[in-house]
Amino acid sequence: MNSLFQQLPSIDKLLKQPEIASLIAEFGRSAVVKICRSLLENARSEIKNTQKIPHFFHDNATLIAEIQRQLQAQQQVKIQPVHNLTGTVLHTNLGRALWANAAQQAALLAMQENVALEYDLAEGKRSHRDNYISELLCELTGAEAACVVNNNAAAVLLMLTTFAVGKEVVISRGELIEIGGSFRIPDIMQQAGCKLAEVGTTNRTHLADYRRAINENTAFLMKVHSSNYQICGFTHSVSEAELAQLGKEMNVPVMTDLGSGALVDLSQYGLPAEPTVQEKWQLGVDLISFSGDKLLGGPQAGIIVGKKYFIDQLQSHPLKRALRCDKVILAGLEATLRLYLQPEKLAEKLTSLHLLTQPVSALRQQAEILKARLENQLNFAYTIRVEESQAQIGSGAQPLAKIPSVAVTLEEKNSQKLTALIQRFKQLPQPIIGRVEQNKLWLDLRSLANFERLLNNLEQL
């Protein structure tokens, strides 16, 4: 054992080597010294436990390579790109909407340069950072004003905190939703310091239920779009139009948490219809909140549009500063919204909409190419087919609606072998994430962002 310990170099001896000197020049002395010490400590521990010297101390070249590998690993960002072949286009766990090229360029410019974020170039004085976005949103939705925070949950929290502290918010029992991460409407109401006044039943709520609940302490009549589930059968709900009329009659404002945030009629693209922000505003709703990274197709943000009287109060509330977006998000969001000013080009330029509207024939062509590549790479070790698939929008939008798609499926009767392949896919330079159904791995092309990059990535398989 002593002879093995003697084979280990000292820190000083390591640092004097020319190869280490070049690593110090690239990564810095402290980082190199820390890794050298860690390797030596691990080696001593292994010698004590196994009476063997670690493999990377067998020769100097291997040791230098290990030190370099660990230094490079320190710089590797853990949030790494993956290939989304799940068939869920707006996949919450995989980052939701992909930014359009225009949004990427706007965000990159905002990172690299100082920008007129809270500065009015025409007036030469300070302005509000939401101004550009507000003007755009008003043009697109018809609303009087707009406010932007970091996500839709924050938007709901800001509205409730601003207007409903110590007061009641009336909402249908069937709309007390829970979304991903155990986020519940009743919990956020409690956090905002307001009281939940639930009306109706799980499956049926009538206008009279809302009317009976209104009193002098009522702050809002609230609607929540149940985008991530559906109640079918013997049901009844109150529309925003009815609620807005009641609110006007009783002098109680109406707010809607629309969630998914469509700004165009998706049915024109052959997709499942989803209520739009414009529709809710035209029905007379006072405040509407929605997400930026779902059907809107932009960065994560919570957007509130509505009457200027209410928006001005939201903007001046102290919580708004804590929830505001930075220059990069605002630049990306503005660029995304500007794409909506050219509706005929939207499906071409808005990445998420482009993925959702790809023709099945194009997906089938890609699937045939992918099938051939996988057969070659895997040496026909699996049963590989091109099959019809059912994709979905994702992020809670139209959970029961399916979109025709095409997938490459990989089947193996030995489940352990299929599990091993899934792990191999995840260990690629850019991991491949599919879905498992019917004892097969499905690689659905509908949600894939870059086909050529996928093919290049498979060379490492």
Side-chain angles (χ1 to χ4, degrees):
M1 189 181 296
N2 288 335
S3 64
L4 293 177
F5 282 128
Q6 291 171 3
Q7 293 181 40
L8 299 178
S10 66
I11 291 290
D12 290 339
K13 185 177 180 180
L14 277 174
L15 296 179
K16 289 178 181 178
Q17 296 188 49
E19 297 89 346
I20 295 294
S22 66
L23 292 178
I24 291 174
E26 182 178 357
F27 298 100
R29 180 181 177 86
S30 60
V32 173
V33 170
K34 184 176 181 180
I35 285 178
C36 288
R37 284 177 176 162
S38 176
L39 287 172
L40 286 168
E41 288 174 4
N42 291 340
R44 294 187 188 102
S45 177
E46 187 165 335
I47 291 171
K48 287 179 181 178
N49 295 329
T50 68
Q51 287 74 55
K52 293 180 180 180
I53 194 167
H55 73 279
F56 43 80
F57 277 101
H58 287 174
D59 60 78
N60 194 63
T62 304
L63 177 58
I64 299 298
E66 179 62 20
I67 295 171
Q68 184 177 26
R69 186 193 68 79
Q70 292 199 21
L71 286 166
Q72 291 172 340
Q74 284 184 339
Q75 304 301 310
Q76 182 67 47
V77 177
K78 297 301 182 184
I79 300 179
Q80 65 182 113
V82 301
H83 290 293
N84 177 11
L85 288 150
T86 64
T88 301
V89 176
L90 303 177
H91 200 300
T92 298
N93 296 345
L94 301 181
R96 290 186 177 168
L98 300 176
W99 292 25
N101 287 333
Q104 295 177 39
Q105 294 304 313
L108 182 61
L109 190 62
M111 294 178 199
Q112 296 174 331
E113 305 282 353
N114 290 118
V115 295
L117 179 64
E118 296 183 1
Y119 185 79
D120 188 321
L121 290 170
E123 298 292 331
K125 62 182 182 181
R126 182 168 182 159
S127 65
H128 197 284
R129 65 174 59 199
D130 286 359
N131 280 354
Y132 300 126
I133 300 291
S134 185
E135 292 173 4
L136 261 177
L137 285 166
C138 291
E139 181 177 354
L140 291 169
T141 66
E144 296 176 3
C147 171
V148 182
V149 291
N150 59 16
N151 63 24
N152 190 50
V156 175
L157 178 63
L158 179 61
M159 290 188 291
L160 294 175
T161 303
T162 302
F163 300 110
V165 173
K167 296 183 178 181
E168 294 182 357
V169 176
V170 183
I171 183 173
S172 169
R173 183 172 283 111
E175 296 172 9
L176 296 176
I177 66 168
E178 175 181 322
I179 60 174
S182 299
F183 171 83
R184 296 178 171 184
I185 290 293
D187 293 341
I188 201 168
M189 286 188 179
Q190 183 179 21
Q191 184 66 39
C194 57
K195 182 180 178 182
L196 167 65
E198 56 183 272
V199 297
T201 62
T202 302
N203 60 318
R204 291 177 70 82
T205 302
H206 303 277
L207 188 64
D209 295 320
Y210 288 95
R211 183 183 294 275
R212 283 193 297 268
I214 295 174
N215 58 54
E216 66 279 358
N217 200 37
T218 300
F220 272 114
L221 302 179
M222 184 176 182
K223 285 283 291 182
V224 178
H225 177 46
S226 56
S227 59
N228 63 349
Y229 74 97
Q230 291 183 8
I231 300 176
C232 304
F234 187 59
T235 65
H236 185 274
S237 62
V238 178
S239 69
E240 271 90 346
E242 295 174 285
L243 212 57
Q245 184 60 41
L246 176 63
K248 186 176 181 181
E249 176 189 337
M250 305 295 289
N251 196 30
V252 177
V254 176
M255 62 181 286
T256 291
D257 173 6
L258 194 53
S260 52
L263 288 184
V264 294
D265 179 10
L266 296 179
S267 64
Q268 66 181 299
Y269 302 103
L271 296 170
E274 184 78 7
T276 66
V277 178
Q278 295 92 323
E279 290 170 359
K280 301 304 179 186
W281 170 251
Q282 290 167 5
L283 292 174
V285 177
D286 297 289
L287 288 172
I288 307 159
S289 73
F290 53 98
S291 298
D293 57 347
K294 294 184 180 179
L295 289 176
L296 182 66
Q300 177 181 298
I303 303 167
I304 308 169
V305 298
K307 293 183 177 177
K308 189 175 185 302
Y309 170 79
F310 296 110
I311 296 293
D312 286 347
Q313 293 179 70
L314 294 175
Q315 294 286 19
S316 62
H317 194 281
L319 186 60
K320 170 58 167 66
R321 184 175 181 87
L323 300 176
R324 69 184 184 180
C325 297
D326 73 344
K327 64 175 184 176
V328 175
I329 294 296
L330 289 173
L333 181 58
E334 181 187 348
T336 301
L337 291 169
R338 290 194 178 281
L339 296 177
Y340 283 84
L341 298 175
Q342 300 173 353
E344 292 83 6
K345 293 289 186 178
L346 193 61
E348 175 186 337
K349 296 183 177 181
L350 189 66
T351 305
S352 56
L353 188 57
H354 172 71
L355 294 177
L356 288 167
T357 57
Q358 294 175 97
V360 171
S361 58
L363 298 179
R364 187 170 287 109
Q365 289 179 355
Q366 292 182 349
E368 293 291 349
I369 296 171
L370 178 59
K371 174 179 178 289
R373 180 65 61 88
L374 286 170
E375 287 175 337
N376 181 59
Q377 292 292 106
L378 298 173
N379 197 26
F380 295 89
Y382 299 82
T383 301
I384 304 178
R385 301 185 182 92
V386 172
E387 299 191 45
E388 293 184 357
S389 180
Q390 297 292 314
Q392 59 182 353
I393 295 174
S395 292
Q398 294 287 348
L400 300 183
K402 301 299 182 181
I403 304 171
S405 186
V406 180
V408 174
T409 64
L410 297 97
E411 187 175 7
E412 168 56 50
K413 292 181 179 179
N414 186 334
S415 61
Q416 292 182 342
K417 190 175 179 181
L418 188 62
T419 300
L421 177 63
I422 294 171
Q423 287 303 117
R424 287 175 65 188
F425 279 148
K426 291 179 180 178
Q427 292 165 1
L428 288 170
Q430 185 166 349
I432 294 173
I433 311 297
R435 70 176 190 268
V436 177
E437 287 180 1
Q438 305 168 7
N439 298 318
K440 292 185 284 188
L441 175 62
W442 293 67
L443 303 179
D444 194 310
L445 279 301
R446 172 68 67 186
S447 53
L448 178 66
N450 193 313
F451 184 66
E452 291 303 320
R453 191 177 300 160
L454 171 68
L455 296 181
N456 292 336
N457 189 48
L458 283 173
E459 294 298 324
Q460 305 298 318
L461 188 59

